[in-house]
Amino acid sequence: MPIMATTATTGSMLLQPIGNAINLPIDQVNFVACQLFALLAAIWFRIYLHPSKTSTFIRHVVATFLGLYLALFCFGWYAIHFIIQSGISYYIMILAGPESMHRMAYVKILLQRIFAKKKCVK
């Protein structure tokens, strides 16, 4: 079986031998592996971090750090983009009241798309 050419990714290359064996790019192998790991982690999360055993704060911290790790494993430093974007959206939700939150989020998305289009055109 021919060795598959690697794709340009900033994610983990740990599973590259598996990608070569099943003839899939490493980014797809990483994504599927993270999905399967997340399913197993959900079982662990439900058993050991049950709401009756731990506080909401601990559950949120564990879920946040696990999600950040999986995002960095899959996408590498490209994950910073959607971490920043979700942080800006969360800040808008906190800053704006419920009556204007959707308008501010819409303006943010429009500005983001305008700047992204201008960057691609150059």
Side-chain angles (χ1 to χ4, degrees), residues 92-103:
I92 287 173
M93 287 173 33
I94 291 174
L95 183 69
E99 64 282 344
S100 63
M101 180 188 318
H102 59 285
R103 287 187 202 98

Side-chain angles (χ1 to χ4, degrees), residues 92 100-112:
I92 287 173
S100 63
M101 180 188 318
H102 59 285
R103 287 187 202 98
M104 290 180 72
Y106 183 68
V107 169
K108 176 239 176 211
I109 292 168
L110 282 178
L111 291 173
Q112 176 186 346

Side-chain angles (χ1 to χ4, degrees), residues 12 18 23 27 47 53 59 75 102:
S12 175
I18 296 172
N23 203 22
D27 56 344
I47 293 171
K53 296 180 183 177
R59 291 171 55 88
F75 306 110
H102 59 285

Side-chain angles (χ1 to χ4, degrees), residues 2 4 8 20 27-28 30-32 34 37 39 41 43-44 53 61 65 67 71-72 84 86 88-89 95 98 111:
M4 182 166 196
N20 291 340
D27 56 344
Q28 292 177 6
N30 283 349
F31 185 76
V32 170
C34 282
F37 180 78
L39 286 172
I43 295 169
W44 173 83
K53 296 180 183 177
V61 168
F65 283 115
L72 288 173
I84 291 171
S86 61
I88 292 170
S89 297
L95 183 69
L111 291 173

